[in-house]
Amino acid sequence: MEIDHLNGTIWAYFSANYGQVKARNDFNHYNNMSKSKLKKCLRILKLQNGKLEEIKYVSRLLRKKLRSHVQRNYEEELSKDFWKFCKKEFEESETQEPNFDESSCYDYFRNIFFGKHKNRTFNLPSWLKPFPVPSSNFDLECPTYQEITKIIRKMKSSGSPCPIDQISIISFKRCPILRTQLWRLLSKCWTEKYIPTIWKRAVAVLIYKKDSPDNPANFRPIVLEPVMLKVFTSAIRNKIFKFVRDNKYIETNIQKGFWPGLSGTVEHTELLNYLLNHARNKQRSIIVTLIDLKNAFGEVHHNLIKSILKSHHIPDEITAMIENLYTDYGISILTKNFITIPISVERGVLQGDCLSPLLFNLCVNSLINTINDERIQCLGYVNDISLNPRHWFQFADDAAIISAHNEDNQLLCNAFSKWSSWADLYIRINKCHTFGIKKFGTKAAQYKPTIKIAGQQVPPIEDGESFMYL
């Protein structure tokens, strides 16, 4: 009742004082008009005392089109924000709306989130290296008001609110009284190790990946959950990350994905490119195998999460809260044409939840901890700058295995295959690739290595073709 009252109070206040955002408008026919046509329409609207909203829409659209023809200062834009400029100029943005009905959508995602092998246990096998006893204790105290405030301030104001309660993080950014009430509420939830049922109802929007929009498999569900739950799971995430970082349970040289304050995409791609160029220039052999997991986030078994948290020495109280989070959690798939009835999430971690990337990383970390061993590292490729071999690049679920010899690469791939089989994750052989360079006569040239995973040959990159990592 307290949560319902808080939700209602926030909604009523901001709705009455700041109005509501219109879900859609009827002015889209202006979008493809030329500048001269827009000027004419705007003049007519003003003369005829047209709708204020329509006049504003046309005015904004006209200003946007006029600005697009102004001479840009590229040097100034580059110096101001290099990566933003590159993303704007080079990133291809292709959007497609789902072209399937509600029934097909529900059936597909119900099968995706359906819990298979519910009673399966994931006892840590002897060949996975155990984590040492922690030297630093886990902080089980309730998050302080300052910690909650820091989490709220770091959240993006542009983040989409959950369509169910429609409460934006901006409400808590701008209003200290609401932050105080939220902190008291979260403290009570933390003390009782309980997540309210009302927070475990969310909506998922579909993000187009590639291929036909007629197939639900070509869309990624991104969950929009209540903002109060996002703050709560962020607090859990921060405490878990601090614990594993302080006890040196994570290896950031191999795994670069989703660690706070670490941008590893550029580092991984640049280093991999350097190793390939080094092998080509020095006429040495190198093999790179890219491994792809099928629906990695969506396939994580909930019992695997419990086992992984236990292996990282996470306290039972925290594990119980995470288990409570995924108990009776339901999401509805939202498109422009329909919204499905809630689907129970019995498998996978939620893409869009603040805690999910860390949970997935910890699952993969059980493998990283094992292969981060000198006896295994020696199977990698050695360059002139560093005598430490590089044998593995990991970014979330994307793995790149590097070695100087075909046999060594096969051994490393066997390790990944054995781990994925234990973790009940599936390798898509047809999406994996292997690339090789070795010396032919007086020069280094590309060739097709022979690597097998689960008895199937990994498709080699054809001669003269390239591959993309991350």
Side-chain angles (χ1 to χ4, degrees):
M1 291 298 294
E2 185 178 349
I3 298 174
D4 287 336
H5 179 69
L6 180 60
N7 285 350
T9 302
I10 295 172
W11 168 257
Y13 176 80
F14 282 93
S15 176
N17 289 276
Y18 298 98
Q20 302 176 21
V21 176
K22 297 291 188 299
R24 55 178 296 180
N25 62 59
D26 299 320
F27 314 136
N28 291 331
H29 59 281
Y30 289 112
N31 292 345
N32 297 323
M33 289 186 181
S34 63
K35 294 190 294 295
S36 59
K37 185 71 173 176
L38 284 173
K39 288 179 182 178
K40 183 177 180 180
C41 291
L42 183 60
R43 192 181 307 113
I44 294 173
L45 285 170
K46 289 180 176 179
L47 289 173
Q48 296 179 350
N49 294 323
K51 294 179 180 179
L52 181 60
E53 290 181 5
E54 189 171 1
I55 293 175
K56 286 182 177 179
Y57 184 86
V58 176
S59 298
R60 281 195 295 266
L61 186 61
L62 180 58
R63 286 197 298 271
K64 184 178 179 181
K65 293 201 174 207
L66 289 172
R67 280 197 301 268
S68 65
H69 288 78
V70 175
Q71 187 68 28
R72 295 171 60 189
N73 189 335
Y74 292 102
E75 291 187 2
E76 182 180 344
E77 291 184 38
L78 276 167
S79 60
K80 184 177 180 180
D81 193 329
F82 176 80
W83 293 114
K84 184 179 180 180
F85 175 83
C86 291
K87 184 177 181 180
K88 181 179 178 182
E89 292 297 318
F90 304 120
E91 188 178 72
E92 294 182 3
S93 57
E94 184 179 6
T95 58
Q96 285 277 2
E97 291 297 326
N99 193 27
F100 42 82
D101 58 23
E102 180 179 353
S103 176
S104 301
C105 178
Y106 177 84
D107 292 342
Y108 173 79
F109 286 104
R110 176 69 187 92
N111 182 63
I112 288 294
F113 292 117
F114 179 73
K116 300 175 182 177
H117 316 123
K118 294 182 181 180
N119 297 323
R120 177 168 179 173
T121 58
F122 293 86
N123 298 319
L124 213 66
S126 58
W127 48 267
L128 280 179
K129 183 180 176 181
F131 292 93
V133 176
S135 57
S136 178
N137 294 328
F138 195 101
D139 180 15
L140 285 171
E141 294 296 323
C142 290
T144 63
Y145 174 79
Q146 289 76 16
E147 289 173 334
I148 295 300
T149 300
K150 187 176 180 180
I151 289 171
I152 291 173
R153 285 176 176 169
K154 280 190 172 183
M155 287 185 170
K156 294 182 179 179
S157 299
S158 58
S160 300
C162 176
I164 295 176
D165 62 15
Q166 301 183 43
I167 295 176
S168 170
I169 191 64
I170 298 175
S171 306
F172 298 101
K173 283 179 177 287
R174 299 292 180 86
C175 186
I177 296 177
L178 289 179
R179 282 203 302 272
T180 302
Q181 293 301 320
L182 177 61
W183 169 68
R184 290 173 179 169
L185 185 61
L186 297 182
S187 297
K188 186 175 181 181
C189 292
W190 187 279
T191 302
E192 298 181 359
K193 306 295 182 291
Y194 174 75
I195 296 178
T197 303
I198 193 173
W199 287 353
K200 295 190 285 185
R201 295 293 178 267
V203 169
V205 294
L206 301 179
I207 305 299
Y208 175 71
K209 294 188 289 187
K210 58 181 179 179
D211 297 334
S212 173
D214 299 334
N215 187 356
N218 295 327
F219 289 85
R220 179 181 292 109
I222 302 297
V223 175
L224 303 177
E225 60 186 13
V227 69
M228 298 183 196
L229 178 61
K230 292 181 73 173
V231 176
F232 189 67
T233 55
S234 295
I236 299 175
R237 175 203 62 201
N238 291 350
K239 286 184 178 289
I240 293 177
F241 179 73
K242 183 179 185 301
F243 175 76
V244 297
R245 182 196 59 198
D246 291 349
N247 287 286
K248 299 180 180 179
Y249 288 161
I250 56 177
E251 168 51 59
T252 56
N253 286 328
I254 296 176
Q255 171 66 279
K256 296 290 186 181
F258 303 131
W259 295 133
L262 183 67
S263 178
T265 308
V266 175
E267 185 176 339
H268 266 359
T269 53
E270 287 298 319
L271 183 53
L272 181 57
N273 185 57
Y274 169 78
L275 295 178
L276 291 172
N277 286 329
H278 180 271
R280 184 181 293 107
N281 295 334
K282 299 294 182 179
Q283 298 182 15
R284 292 175 54 188
S285 296
I286 187 172
I287 299 169
V288 179
T289 301
L290 306 179
I291 300 181
D292 181 79
L293 289 173
K294 177 185 177 183
N295 188 28
F297 277 74
E299 293 288 340
V300 176
H301 200 294
H302 291 173
N303 287 343
L304 173 64
I305 296 175
K306 290 172 60 178
S307 176
I308 291 298
L309 291 174
K310 183 179 180 180
S311 71
H312 283 80
H313 304 288
I314 305 298
D316 294 340
E317 295 91 333
I318 302 299
T319 303
M321 273 197 287
I322 295 174
E323 186 178 6
N324 183 270
L325 169 65
Y326 282 98
T327 301
D328 297 327
Y329 196 107
I331 63 173
S332 298
I333 309 298
L334 175 67
T335 71
K336 284 188 175 182
N337 300 319
F338 59 80
I339 181 170
T340 67
I341 59 175
I343 300 171
S344 180
V345 179
E346 301 171 358
R347 176 176 53 153
V349 291
L350 302 167
Q351 296 188 64
D353 175 67
C354 300
L355 181 60
S356 293
L358 178 59
L359 291 179
F360 183 83
N361 266 10
L362 292 181
C363 292
V364 179
N365 198 47
S366 61
L367 171 65
I368 302 300
N369 183 56
T370 301
I371 57 99
N372 186 34
D373 185 283
E374 289 183 355
R375 294 168 296 178
I376 300 177
Q377 286 178 353
C378 67
L379 300 175
Y381 181 88
V382 182
N383 61 67
D384 298 334
I385 295 178
S386 172
L387 295 178
N388 295 324
R390 289 308 303 255
H391 68 310
W392 205 291
F393 292 156
Q394 190 79 31
F395 193 91
D397 61 315
D398 293 315
I401 297 174
I402 303 98
S403 68
H405 305 288
N406 198 95
E407 297 80 6
D408 296 339
N409 202 279
Q410 182 64 67
L411 288 173
L412 293 171
C413 289
N414 291 345
F416 190 97
S417 178
K418 189 174 183 179
W419 172 82
S420 63
S421 178
W422 168 76
D424 203 18
L425 298 173
Y426 304 98
I427 298 175
R428 293 192 295 186
I429 305 297
N430 63 322
K431 297 292 184 179
C432 299
H433 298 286
T434 184
F435 177 90
I437 295 175
K438 69 178 181 179
K439 186 176 180 180
F440 289 95
T442 59
K443 64 178 182 179
Q446 181 181 340
Y447 80 106
K448 299 179 183 179
T450 302
I451 301 294
K452 292 185 177 181
I453 296 178
Q456 300 182 57
Q457 183 171 345
V458 176
I461 302 294
E462 296 296 328
D463 293 342
E465 297 294 326
S466 60
F467 68 90
M468 182 173 64
Y469 176 60
L470 303 181

